């Protein structure tokens, strides 16, 4: 079946899938580290790339390949490189495209470790980085240097929910011959398709929406061209940020319901955002579905829905935010997002705590910012939980 012609929700279930001699309805788990060759010549041909037979699971595995094929198709990309975690995917991209004397321009409010790894580990090896407010593409343009090898954007950004104009950044980058990588974790391919907007590389922490059940850590990179694919797969294989076959099976299982999960979560999120915006104890709310979001129109033009992550601050800042976090019962006080369960966390002391305070403030990650990842529970229960916790402030 040519799954490329199917609708998105049908692709979620059928793209990249294969069966075995028993007619298994799901992709089997090839829980093996290595694959035997038919002959010495066959082994040599596999290593030479003249035969596409499997060699070793760090290099490739049928279960992992099913997931890679599926996500690549959902993103309208060339091929995918699955990784053991979202950070495995981020660093595989950095390793493939950066080196001593090279430079990256990135958004100042990306997921904390995606920035910290550049400013600590990659810096140690002589790669430079500039973090700017990429929600204004002119800032990206002005930060480009002679040695800039990658523009790296997260949109919507974690945790500020700032939205970057993807097409504007692509235009600026490509005018200088620089590739663009978008971390599409917050939207998933269901809501946003960066490769269709001219982006070269897209990546995900599949720990979030794609798997969606808070039981797996995983990542993936999808490229538009063979050239970037080969470079990133090579990096992934050599640094060993590969996925495990059982992990791939779990992600495939979660992926199938991506569309209906996001539909429900963002319907809930819209109601939560409106509730928060009208609450007397709430200072501000940032959610791409609210007209008050500074890039509301841009968000609508490049995303088919606002997603289900909200950032907000209660009056009284961090002290009051702490009372809220300590008094919710349905929402779990936990990092991560994109699962079926509602989560609440405090970026300044948790996910973004390794970023110095001054840099956090420049990126609008204020000490009072609370991140709320809305799940698929009954909306009445989510709001009742928030209501009783806000009453404690
Ligand atoms: N990119 C984004 C946008 C993320 O939110 C995360 C994780 C990563 C990459 C890294 O993925 P991982 O290695 O964890 O699969 N974000 C987290 C968060 O906001 N709370 O906990 C993890």
């Amino acid at each position: 079946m040519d799954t490329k012609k199917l609708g998105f929700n049908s692709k979620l279930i059928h793209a990249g899938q294969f069966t075995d001699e028993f007619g298994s309805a799901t992709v089997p788990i090839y829980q093996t580290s290595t694959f035997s060759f038919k002959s010495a010549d066959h082994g040599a041909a596999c290593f030479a790339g003249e035969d596409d037979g499997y060699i070793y699971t760090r290099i490739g595995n049928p279960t992992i390949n099913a997931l890679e094929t599926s996500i690549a198709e959902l993103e309208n990309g060339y091929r995918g490189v699955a990784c053991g975690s979202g950070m495995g995917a981020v660093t595989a991209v950095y390793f493939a495209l950066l080196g001593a004397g090279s430079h990256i321009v990135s958004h100042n409010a990306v997921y904390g470790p995606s920035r910290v790894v550049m400013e600590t580990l990659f810096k140690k090896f002589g790669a430079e980085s500039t973090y700017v407010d990429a929600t204004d593409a002119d800032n990206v343009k002005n930060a480009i240097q002679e040695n800039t090898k990658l523009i790296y954007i997260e949109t919507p950004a974690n945790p500020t929910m700032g939205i970057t104009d993807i097409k504007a950044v692509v235009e600026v980058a490509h005018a200088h011959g620089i590739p663009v990588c978008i971390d599409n974790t917050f939207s998933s391919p269901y809501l946003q398709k960066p490769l269709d907007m001219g982006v070269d590389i897209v990546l995900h922490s599949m720990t979030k929406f794609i798997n969606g059940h808070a039981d797996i850590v995983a990542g993936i990179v999808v490229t538009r061209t063979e050239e970037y694919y080969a470079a990133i797969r090579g990096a992934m294989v050599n640094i060993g940020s590969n996925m495990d076959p059982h992990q791939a099976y779990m992600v495939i299982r979660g992926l199938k319901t991506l569309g209906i999960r996001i539909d429900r979560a963002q319907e809930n999120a819209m109601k939560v955002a409106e509730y928060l915006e009208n609450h007397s104890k709430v200072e501000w709310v940032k959610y791409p579905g609210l007209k008050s979001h500074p890039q509301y129109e841009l968000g609508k033009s490049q995303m088919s829905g606002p997603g289900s992550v909200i950032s907000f601050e209660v009056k009284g800042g961090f002290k009051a935010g702490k009372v809220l976090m300590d008094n919710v019962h349905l929402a779990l006080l936990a990092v991560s997002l994109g699962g079926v369960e509602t989560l609440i966390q405090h970026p300044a002391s948790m996910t973004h705590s390794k970023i110095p305070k001054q840099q956090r403030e420049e990126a609008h990650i204020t000490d009072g910012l609370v991140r709320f990842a809305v799940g698929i529970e009954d909306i009445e229960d989510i709001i009742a939980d928030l209501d009783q916790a806000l009453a404690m402030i």
Side-chain angles (χ1 to χ4, degrees):
M1 181 176 39
D2 181 6
T3 51
K4 290 203 169 67
K5 293 192 179 119
L6 299 175
F8 192 90
N9 283 291
S10 306
K11 278 187 185 162
L12 287 174
I13 292 158
H14 298 288
Q17 307 299 293
F18 64 89
T19 188
D20 62 6
E21 72 264 37
F22 303 111
S24 158
T26 59
V27 169
I29 309 175
Y30 286 86
Q31 196 71 48
T32 183
S33 59
T34 196
F35 297 84
S36 60
F37 304 120
K38 293 182 199 109
S39 64
D41 278 347
H42 178 227
C46 289
F47 270 93
E50 291 153 7
D51 187 295
D52 59 6
Y54 288 101
I55 298 172
Y56 185 66
T57 283
R58 176 158 48 75
I59 302 171
N61 173 292
T63 316
I64 300 169
N65 187 45
L67 176 62
E68 291 171 335
T69 307
S70 172
I71 306 288
E73 198 168 316
L74 295 166
E75 285 283 8
N76 294 332
Y78 171 67
R79 282 179 78 175
V81 180
C83 299
S85 68
M87 283 314 298
V90 172
T91 50
V93 171
Y94 290 172
F95 270 114
L97 298 182
L98 303 170
S102 65
H103 174 247
I104 185 175
V105 178
S106 186
H107 184 45
N108 58 12
V110 292
Y111 173 57
S114 300
R115 176 170 182 170
V116 171
V117 76
M118 273 311 308
E119 293 184 329
T120 56
L121 290 175
F122 279 77
K123 186 176 173 199
K124 229 169 61 174
F125 295 103
E128 301 166 33
S129 49
T130 306
Y131 286 85
V132 297
D133 180 356
T135 61
D136 180 348
D138 278 345
N139 293 334
V140 173
K141 189 175 171 181
N142 296 334
I144 290 174
Q145 302 177 177
E146 201 107 297
N147 57 344
T148 305
K149 299 286 183 221
L150 179 64
I151 310 280
Y152 181 94
I153 305 291
E154 211 178 272
T155 180
N158 185 358
T160 59
M161 302 312 293
I163 297 174
T164 293
D165 186 335
I166 297 177
K167 284 183 185 155
V169 167
V170 165
E171 203 179 308
V172 163
H174 287 182
H176 291 79
I178 305 165
V180 178
C181 175
I182 298 276
D183 182 333
N184 200 23
T185 299
F186 270 48
S187 292
S188 92
Y190 185 57
L191 300 179
Q192 178 169 274
K193 293 199 179 57
L195 299 179
D196 288 356
M197 293 180 240
V199 164
D200 305 278
I201 300 157
V202 63
L203 67 84
H204 292 273
S205 165
M206 297 197 292
T207 314
K208 311 297 176 325
F209 291 98
I210 289 182
N211 179 58
H213 292 77
D215 50 8
I216 280 291
V217 170
I220 197 160
V221 185
V222 176
T223 69
R224 199 150 55 82
T225 64
E226 207 275 330
E227 181 199 349
Y228 291 124
Y229 168 77
I232 294 161
R233 177 162 293 277
M236 180 282 283
V237 167
N238 288 326
I239 61 179
S241 61
N242 60 287
M243 180 169 274
D244 172 83
H246 183 261
Q247 197 184 5
Y249 173 85
M250 293 290 282
V251 180
I252 292 170
R253 188 175 192 271
L255 173 68
K256 293 183 184 189
T257 53
L258 178 72
I260 55 171
R261 282 189 282 107
I262 290 191
D263 283 346
R264 170 64 177 256
Q266 73 180 359
E267 191 186 314
N268 281 351
M270 191 68 219
K271 290 179 182 150
V272 171
E274 281 166 351
Y275 162 81
L276 289 172
E277 197 162 52
N278 291 316
H279 199 289
S280 60
K281 288 187 180 167
V282 174
E283 187 75 45
W284 56 262
V285 185
K286 204 143 164 229
Y287 176 62
L290 289 177
K291 289 211 170 85
S292 58
H293 189 289
Q295 295 104 15
Y296 173 74
E297 291 299 336
L298 172 65
K300 270 208 336 199
S301 73
Q302 63 186 28
M303 293 150 48
S304 61
S308 57
V309 184
I310 300 168
S311 64
F312 69 99
E313 186 163 334
V314 284
K315 287 179 182 155
F318 180 44
K319 223 170 135 210
K322 236 161 127 175
V323 175
L324 169 73
M325 287 185 284
D326 285 340
N327 285 287
V328 285
H329 304 304
L330 180 97
L332 299 180
L333 176 53
V335 297
S336 204
L337 55 104
V340 291
E341 59 289 300
T342 296
L343 304 178
I344 191 167
Q345 73 112 0
H346 178 241
S349 67
M350 297 174 188
T351 48
H352 293 69
S353 58
K354 301 288 183 295
I355 295 175
K357 187 176 165 74
Q358 192 199 331
Q359 289 179 9
R360 279 202 310 265
E361 279 173 0
E362 277 164 21
H364 309 292
I365 307 168
T366 57
D367 280 349
L369 188 154
V370 171
R371 193 184 70 189
F372 199 66
V374 184
I376 65 168
E377 300 95 336
D378 290 314
I379 185 62
E380 298 77 16
D381 294 330
I382 299 172
I383 289 184
D385 188 36
L386 274 173
D387 213 41
Q388 62 78 30
L390 282 164
M392 303 284 202
I393 296 172

